[in-house]
Amino acid sequence: MTMNAFLPGGAITSTEHADTLLELAFLVTAADGKLAEEEATAFRDLVTRVRGKTASDDEIGALYTRFTNALEGSTCVERVKVVAPNLPADLKEPAFRVALALALIDRDASPHEDDLIDALFHALGLDATRAEEVAKEVRVALSPPPNSAPPS
């Protein structure tokens, strides 16, 4: 499953809003201090979807550099609290959905990612019941099919 399954159709027309969602996604991938191959692929898919065109290696590298520089001197959780409130209401749930998917896509649970997701939930001001429903939907969508071999 790609990140596109967790986004509404079409590109995000506001560059500011697109970049805010992308930075939040980056922060999830950075939370545990390692970038899994699945996370890198998902982030590239996300950039392509949000921008409405295929992202080049240079564009991905520039985003990583920009978001890493913005993170300097703070933690991922602290940065989420600054960035998340800049999203408009219609992108808050999709951003939460994307963050959950990125946290789960490598099947390597991290307490740092859990803390970041919790901070994101609060920073976005989401309804707790709806957030739990979204979390369940993402977990089900990313669960391996029955009778599949565990990841190696």
Side-chain angles (χ1 to χ4, degrees), residues 33-117:
K34 56 187 177 189
L35 181 64
E37 183 178 337
E38 299 92 343
E39 291 172 327
T41 299
F43 186 78
R44 178 179 291 278
D45 290 347
L46 177 61
V47 172
T48 295
R49 179 59 169 242
V50 165
R51 296 257 170 101
K53 63 182 181 77
T54 301
S56 71
D57 290 345
D58 288 343
E59 289 170 319
I60 297 296
L63 286 172
Y64 280 137
T65 299
R66 189 169 107 215
F67 297 153
T68 299
N69 290 341
L71 184 57
E72 190 169 324
S74 63
T75 67
C76 290
V77 168
E78 291 167 342
R79 186 71 185 150
V80 159
K81 292 176 183 178
V82 170
V83 173
N86 296 321
L87 277 179
D90 65 319
L91 290 178
K92 288 183 178 190
E93 186 175 307
F96 188 66
R97 186 180 302 273
V98 164
L100 284 165
L102 279 168
L104 297 172
I105 203 158
D106 64 355
R107 301 195 194 313
D108 185 18
S110 159
H112 299 293
E113 289 172 338
D114 292 344
D115 291 345
L116 187 134
I117 295 296

Side-chain angles (χ1 to χ4, degrees), residues 12-22 66 86-88 91:
I12 297 174
T13 54
S14 164
T15 302
E16 179 185 347
H17 296 157
D19 285 355
T20 299
L21 189 142
L22 291 172
R66 189 169 107 215
N86 296 321
L87 277 179
L91 290 178

Side-chain angles (χ1 to χ4, degrees), residues 121-132:
F121 160 75
H122 289 290
L124 292 173
L126 297 174
D127 173 75
T129 302
R130 180 63 190 141
E132 198 50 50

